[in-house]
């Protein structure tokens, strides 16, 4: 059991109602209702949490990384930002963040990349110590909901920081997230959340990194008129309005 800091607890309506840990190199998924808060915590430092989001009632609508970045005029994601679908709606808002930088441009690690960096350990050989990859982890979770390779999209990599030099070369910052760092997402619409804790594709650690991520779930307090995410930019205000129209029409 872990405790939330005041920075994150303040957004909950009461206490978190559930918590669990997703082990390193693992995957999971869940349907999340509008008005839910999830706080993800990097337990040991150096975690990577790959995320994709879908509309559970229309699986063609999914997280859109380019729109998320360009409409908020940013390369990184942090507190105050929103996570957009390809229909101009907001899946979730980043209401609190300890890291200050989360990647959504580098995509996923696949089996060939894992083999090149660390070699392959199968489940038959290593049991729970096998070396899973993000791409196949997403596909396993996809299958539970009738999704497949054609539904893959550019994903979030929470807790991972990637910087660029003057020539545009990207560099993974391996020690960006410290033990205990957390990020809290407030879900603005019902969402199918797909996640894994496999390594970031630019991670060149000597050994396959096994970094668990803890998560708390609870009910969010109502969105205030002066909400930081809603008022971050004019585009976010329009995104919240799109959500209002969608939720109103679906009610």
């Amino acid at each position: 059991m872990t405790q939330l800091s005041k920075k994150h607890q303040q957004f909950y309506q009461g206490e978190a109602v559930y918590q669990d840990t997703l082990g390193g190199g693992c995957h999971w998924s869940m349907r999340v209702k509008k008005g839910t808060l999830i706080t993800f915590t990097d337990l040991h430092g150096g975690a990577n949490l790959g995320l994709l989001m879908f509309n559970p009632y229309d699986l063609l609508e999914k997280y859109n990384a380019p729109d998320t970045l360009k409409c908020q005029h940013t390369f990184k994601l942090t507190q105050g930002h929103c996570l957009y679908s390809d229909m101009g709606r907001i899946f979730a808002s980043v209401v609190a963040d300890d890291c200050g930088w989360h990647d959504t441009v580098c995509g996923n690690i696949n089996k060939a990349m894992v083999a090149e960096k660390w070699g392959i350990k199968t489940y038959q050989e290593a049991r729970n110590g096998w070396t899973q990859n993000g791409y196949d982890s997403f596909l396993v979770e996809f299958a539970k909901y009738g999704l497949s390779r054609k539904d893959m999209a550019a994903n979030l990599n929470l807790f991972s920081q990637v910087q660029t030099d003057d020539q545009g070369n990207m560099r993974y910052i391996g020690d960006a997230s410290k033990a205990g760092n957390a990020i809290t997402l407030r879900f603005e619409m019902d969402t199918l959340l797909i996640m894994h804790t496999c390594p970031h594709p630019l991670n060149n650690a000597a050994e396959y990194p096994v970094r668990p991520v803890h998560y708390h779930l609870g009910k969010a307090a109502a969105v205030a008129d002066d909400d930081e995410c809603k008022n971050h930019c004019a585009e976010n205000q329009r995104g919240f309005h799109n959500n209002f129209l969608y939720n109103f029409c679906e009610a």
Side-chain angles (χ1 to χ4, degrees):
M1 303 288 284
T2 66
Q3 297 295 318
L4 294 173
S5 69
K6 291 182 179 179
K7 178 178 180 178
H8 296 269
Q9 179 63 53
Q10 65 177 314
F11 294 98
Y12 283 79
Q13 186 175 314
E15 298 294 324
V17 298
Y18 180 77
Q19 59 178 301
D20 200 359
T21 298
L22 183 61
C26 295
H27 48 81
W28 191 241
S29 58
M30 64 180 78
R31 290 186 176 95
V32 181
K33 299 295 289 185
K34 176 182 180 293
T36 298
L37 281 179
I38 302 183
T39 300
F40 295 105
T41 303
D42 180 354
L43 290 180
H44 303 317
N48 180 69
L49 183 65
L51 288 184
L52 279 177
M53 291 169 284
F54 295 83
N55 182 338
Y57 312 115
D58 180 3
L59 293 171
L60 292 175
E61 182 177 5
K62 56 191 172 186
Y63 173 68
N64 189 292
D67 285 356
T68 294
L69 295 178
K70 70 183 181 183
C71 79
Q72 296 172 102
H73 313 285
T74 185
F75 177 75
K76 63 181 180 180
L77 294 172
T78 186
Q79 183 173 321
H81 288 138
C82 295
L83 309 177
Y84 278 81
S85 82
D86 50 14
M87 297 295 287
R89 292 186 275 264
I90 296 170
F91 279 121
S93 302
V94 184
V95 296
D97 177 35
D98 299 330
C99 296
W101 190 306
H102 301 269
D103 166 53
T104 191
V105 299
C106 288
N108 230 341
I109 195 166
N110 59 35
K111 184 176 181 179
M113 297 166 71
V114 169
E116 181 180 355
K117 293 172 185 283
W118 302 293
I120 296 295
K121 294 180 181 178
T122 67
Y123 179 76
Q124 289 74 16
E125 296 168 339
R127 293 297 188 263
N128 290 336
W130 63 318
T131 50
Q132 298 202 71
N133 67 85
Y135 186 84
D136 289 331
S137 292
F138 275 156
L139 288 179
V140 171
E141 296 302 322
F142 279 12
K144 298 176 181 178
Y145 308 96
L147 298 169
S148 63
R149 295 178 190 273
K150 66 180 176 59
D151 301 297
M152 195 68 73
N155 57 283
L156 286 150
N157 288 305
L158 298 186
F159 302 113
S160 291
Q161 182 179 151
V162 174
Q163 296 183 355
T164 59
D165 60 23
D166 292 339
Q167 287 72 46
N169 299 305
M170 291 186 290
R171 180 171 63 93
Y172 174 72
I173 310 301
D175 60 350
S177 179
K178 310 300 183 184
N181 277 0
I183 178 172
T184 297
L185 303 182
R186 181 185 63 210
F187 286 82
E188 313 296 356
M189 59 186 285
D190 291 359
T191 301
L192 172 59
L193 183 65
I194 312 288
M195 53 188 172
H196 71 70
T197 50
C198 297
H200 188 278
L202 298 185
N203 191 330
N204 289 317
E207 301 290 335
Y208 180 91
V210 179
R211 299 290 186 271
V213 172
H214 195 81
Y215 57 93
H216 291 77
L217 286 85
K219 188 174 182 179
V223 179
D225 290 339
D226 62 350
D227 183 78
E228 180 180 7
C229 299
K230 182 178 180 180
N231 295 292
H232 178 78
C233 57
E235 288 83 355
N236 284 5
Q237 292 178 346
R238 288 196 291 271
F240 271 88
H241 183 66
N242 289 342
N243 278 45
F244 167 77
L245 292 175
Y246 177 74
N247 291 318
F248 178 80
C249 293
E250 289 292 311

